[in-house]
Amino acid sequence: MILLSLISPELIMAGREAVTATSTMDIDWPMVGAWLRAALAASSILMGLFFVFAGTIGVLRLPDFYTRIHAAGMTDTLGAEMVLLGLMIQSGFTQTTLKLLMLSFFLLLTSPTATHAVAHAAHRAGLKPKLGDYRAKSIDEIRAKAAKRGAS
Amino acid sequence: MLSLTTSLVFAAAEASSTVQAVSRVKFSDLINMSHFNLAVAFALLVSMALLIGRLLGGPTLYDRLLAVNSFGTKTVLFLCVFCFVIGRPDGLDIAILYALMNFIATIAVLKFFSYRALGVSIHEGVFQTEEGER
């Protein structure tokens, strides 16, 4: 008897109203998903940019050719892949993502090969690595040198 | 009990309708990331401009080649990001083409400076050139 009294239509309708009131709370779910996607894409691209800049500064400041290869290879693989991954997250499941996938595959295949070819050619041509201690010039030394050059 | 289950069924129906709404709305209509992409494109341009320093002042040929190769990769990235900025993803084809051309150009220049000719088969050239000059 108690169960039968529970199945009254008024109670069912009341339950439905309560449920719809809680499930359609004022959360804009598409907007939340879009912000999550934007955050993922932005963080991936920013990490890629970090690697790109690290590689650039390494190519500029490392002492000799064989150490500069490390910096250049890092830029070409991880930095490029992470920037392309961020763009893929931005574009979603479209033809653009397919093209970006092709591009990242080609880059992943060709840039280590090119770096290896450059290193191999330099080694065959007899380029010797710098051995011994090395200290990079500090900014003050570079500035002093530039000031001296400007004065003379 | 029955009212609880019916309300659960209603809740499930509501939830599934929201999920469908999520997949229907386009991401680019909700959030416009073109300003962020523009900033990224400028950062890539700055990094390319820094690399020109190594390209002009590299002591050896191989330093310059390394800089050119890195510059090409950054150009490809810049093209991709710029396509997203202007909202026309057709330029990605150009980026793919540029990536392939960059690789082939690097290999061709290396081969030319190793053998002083592009028509040399590698198996002929390996033991003949410059091995004695070390």
Side-chain angles (χ1 to χ4, degrees), chain B residues 66-105:
Chain B
L66 200 67
V68 165
N69 195 15
S70 221
F71 193 86
T73 309
K74 286 189 184 62
T75 313
V76 170
L77 289 183
F78 174 75
L79 272 175
C80 292
V81 176
F82 197 70
C83 290
F84 275 74
V85 170
I86 61 176
R88 293 177 62 185
D90 317 326
L92 284 175
D93 300 331
I94 305 173
I96 294 174
L97 196 68
Y98 200 88
L100 293 175
M101 288 292 289
N102 185 31
F103 175 64
I104 294 171

Side-chain angles (χ1 to χ4, degrees), chain B:
Chain B
M1 288 303 286
L2 197 57
S3 70
L4 194 68
T5 46
T6 43
S7 54
L8 275 181
V9 167
F10 279 128
E14 292 287 335
S16 65
S17 67
T18 9
V19 166
Q20 278 174 3
V22 165
S23 62
R24 225 179 286 132
V25 179
K26 266 178 73 181
F27 172 67
S28 53
D29 295 337
L30 290 178
I31 293 178
N32 191 2
M33 286 191 78
S34 65
H35 288 91
F36 176 78
N37 284 339
L38 193 63
V40 171
F42 268 112
L44 283 172
L45 272 183
V46 168
S47 148
M48 282 155 76
L50 284 175
L51 259 184
I52 288 183
R54 179 53 68 196
L55 183 62
L56 295 179
T60 63
L61 165 79
Y62 304 102
D63 287 306
R64 290 172 212 269
L65 262 176
L66 200 67
V68 165
N69 195 15
S70 221
F71 193 86
T73 309
K74 286 189 184 62
T75 313
V76 170
L77 289 183
F78 174 75
L79 272 175
C80 292
V81 176
F82 197 70
C83 290
F84 275 74
V85 170
I86 61 176
R88 293 177 62 185
D90 317 326
L92 284 175
D93 300 331
I94 305 173
I96 294 174
L97 196 68
Y98 200 88
L100 293 175
M101 288 292 289
N102 185 31
F103 175 64
I104 294 171
T106 307
I107 296 297
V109 171
L110 275 177
K111 190 175 178 188
F112 179 74
F113 279 103
S114 295
Y115 303 114
R116 297 289 154 187
L118 285 178
V120 179
S121 139
I122 291 186
H123 297 292
E124 297 168 16
V126 164
F127 298 109
Q128 292 173 4
T129 49
E130 292 177 324
E131 284 289 320
E133 295 177 10
R134 281 189 193 180

Side-chain angles (χ1 to χ4, degrees), chain A residues 95-116:
Chain A
Q95 189 192 9
T96 313
T97 302
L98 192 66
K99 283 180 193 170
L100 283 172
L101 264 179
M102 272 171 64
L103 185 55
S104 63
F105 175 70
F106 285 142
L107 274 184
L108 204 61
L109 211 66
T110 56
S111 44
T113 315
T115 312
H116 171 78

Side-chain angles (χ1 to χ4, degrees), chain A residues 48-62 68 70-76, chain B residues 43-54 67 70-71 74:
Chain A
L49 269 188
F50 168 75
F51 280 106
V52 164
F53 267 90
T56 307
I57 293 171
V59 168
L60 277 180
R61 274 180 69 81
L62 284 176
R68 279 174 206 140
H70 296 293
M74 188 174 65
T75 305
D76 287 351
Chain B
L44 283 172
L45 272 183
V46 168
S47 148
M48 282 155 76
L50 284 175
L51 259 184
I52 288 183
R54 179 53 68 196
S70 221
F71 193 86
K74 286 189 184 62

